[in-house]
């Protein structure tokens, strides 16, 4: 197993949060998942994450989550780090999945703030501390208040960072950029800070972030990864140009709940069968037309003649 310091050096750049593809009968399409992972690695993604928000974990059974994690680790074959999402609203389930990720050989695990329960900061500390103490694998906390209805406060995260040597970073899907700045101030500049908000991926690098976990990487993995590559190489103008080039795609992919627009887009691109499980569903016909139009502007699909004005 890699040391924590080795993982911290490797886990930088675009960590692509892969969708979970379904077949027409809504069973998990593990073969397509493996193909997507290979495509991402060949396209330049710096790491892979599965069963995070984009991977629809709440729509999967426990055994399906386990097999998705296993498929990702086996498909990556050590070429890039793999960081499965192991969090749940259920503490014991989170412990089980995080321990299993370690046994399977994942490089790190991403653990979401429990959703629906709305735990206190004290309870959140105990939840994450217990998980960190149960494994040796590095952990990335996932703070997404828009989905969980509770924000992991900077003081709680700083306390966890101080008390748990294997809590190495946080994915902040938090639009409060002041909060995000304070994470590095109070947790230290070597704490790994990732953006989970597409329009904050570039700004996060500017304040010392380690990278981002952007759903848009599912559509254009090479271009999303190149934002980090350009920044790291000191080509600031190139990175900034890419940031703005990606903005129309970022915008349309979040006009409905993620990952519905992503799956519609990937279906149009011929990458997957565009299926979700209820209560999630594909976007409206009007939004799907808009998605196709945006994809066509990037030469990812051909615009239908009936949609060309």
């Amino acid at each position: 197993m890699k040391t924590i310091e080795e993982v911290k050096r490797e886990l930088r750049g675009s960590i692509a949060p892969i969708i979970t593809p379904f077949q027409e009968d809504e069973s998990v399409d593990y073969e397509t998942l493996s193909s997507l992972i290979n495509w991402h690695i060949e396209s330049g993604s710096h790491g892979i994450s599965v069963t995070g928000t984009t991977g629809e974990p709440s729509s999967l059974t426990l055994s399906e989550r386990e097999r998705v994690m296993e498929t990702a680790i086996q498909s990556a074959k050590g070429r890039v780090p793999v960081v499965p999402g192991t969090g749940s609203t259920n503490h014991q389930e989170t412990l089980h999945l995080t321990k299993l990720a370690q046994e399977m050989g994942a490089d790190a695990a991403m653990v979401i703030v429990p959703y629906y329960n709305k735990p206190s900061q004290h309870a959140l500390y105990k939840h994450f501390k217990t998980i960190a103490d149960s494994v040796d694998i590095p952990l990335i906390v996932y703070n997404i208040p828009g989905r969980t209805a509770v924000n992991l406060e900077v003081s709680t995260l700083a306390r966890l960072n101080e008390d748990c040597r294997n809590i190495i970073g946080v994915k902040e899907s938090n639009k409060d950029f002041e909060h995000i700045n304070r994470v590095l101030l109070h947790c230290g500049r070597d704490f790994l800070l990732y953006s989970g908000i597409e329009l904050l991926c570039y700004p996060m690098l500017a304040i010392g972030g380690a990278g981002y976990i952007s759903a848009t990487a599912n559509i254009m993995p090479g271009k999303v990864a190149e934002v980090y590559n350009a920044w790291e190489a000191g080509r600031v103008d190139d990175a900034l140009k890419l940031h703005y080039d990606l903005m129309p795609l970022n915008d349309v992919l979040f006009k409905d709940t993620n990952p519905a627009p992503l799956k519609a887009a990937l279906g149009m691109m011929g990458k997957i069968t565009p299926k979700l499980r209820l209560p999630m569903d594909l976007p409206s016909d009007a939004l799907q037309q808009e998605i196709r139009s945006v994809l066509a502007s990037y030469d990812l699909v051909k615009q239908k003649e009936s949609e060309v004005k």
Side-chain angles (χ1 to χ4, degrees), residues 107-272:
D107 296 274
M110 184 169 63
V111 185
I112 194 170
V113 169
Y115 38 91
Y116 182 77
N117 292 329
K118 296 184 70 174
S120 67
Q121 295 298 309
H122 173 67
L124 285 172
Y125 173 84
K126 290 178 68 176
H127 172 71
F128 285 110
K129 177 73 161 58
T130 301
I131 295 163
D133 288 346
S134 73
V135 294
D136 297 316
I137 192 172
L139 301 180
I140 297 169
V141 175
Y142 182 11
N143 188 31
I144 179 168
R147 293 262 191 166
T148 63
V150 62
N151 184 44
L152 183 69
E153 294 178 3
V154 173
S155 58
T156 307
L157 185 59
R159 186 181 172 200
L160 286 165
N161 177 48
E162 183 175 346
D163 294 347
C164 309
R165 65 180 297 271
N166 56 333
I167 291 183
I168 63 170
V170 62
K171 175 185 177 182
E172 282 284 358
S173 292
N174 193 329
K175 293 184 178 180
D176 183 350
F177 204 56
E178 291 185 10
H179 166 103
I180 292 168
N181 277 264
R182 291 190 176 99
V183 168
L184 289 184
L185 176 65
H186 293 284
C187 293
R189 296 283 295 280
D190 63 340
F191 195 65
L192 302 182
L193 175 64
Y194 305 93
S195 177
I197 300 290
E198 276 58 34
L199 295 190
L200 295 183
C201 290
Y202 173 81
M204 198 79 87
L205 297 176
I207 65 167
Y212 38 83
I213 304 173
S214 167
T216 305
N218 280 275
I219 306 299
M220 299 187 77
K223 199 161 190 173
V224 172
E226 183 57 25
V227 175
Y228 178 82
N229 294 339
W231 174 266
E232 187 68 8
R235 294 184 285 111
V236 177
D237 289 345
D238 290 343
L240 188 58
K241 181 180 184 302
L242 286 164
H243 168 72
Y244 284 108
D245 285 349
L246 286 165
M247 197 174 292
L249 182 59
N250 289 330
D251 286 346
V252 79
L253 291 177
F254 286 88
K255 288 194 173 183
D256 195 352
T257 303
N258 180 45
L262 273 181
K263 285 197 159 181
L266 286 167
M268 294 171 195
M269 293 166 63
K271 294 290 185 182
I272 66 167

Side-chain angles (χ1 to χ4, degrees), residues 9-61:
R9 285 194 296 270
E10 293 179 2
L11 268 179
R12 296 179 178 275
S14 175
I15 314 299
I18 311 297
I19 58 106
T20 300
F22 297 135
Q23 300 188 62
E24 194 63 43
D25 63 0
E26 296 187 6
S27 60
V28 178
D29 189 344
Y30 298 102
E31 184 177 346
T32 295
L33 175 61
S34 183
S35 296
L36 288 172
I37 289 169
N38 284 322
W39 175 54
H40 271 272
I41 295 172
E42 291 166 2
S43 298
S45 292
H46 304 103
I48 296 296
S49 181
V50 291
T51 57
T53 301
T54 304
E56 296 175 82
S58 59
S59 295
L60 303 177
T61 66

Side-chain angles (χ1 to χ4, degrees), residues 284-299:
S284 67
D285 290 345
L287 180 52
Q288 289 199 50
Q289 288 181 15
E290 186 176 351
I291 291 168
R292 176 176 286 277
S293 178
V294 172
L295 292 179
S297 73
Y298 290 91
D299 294 324

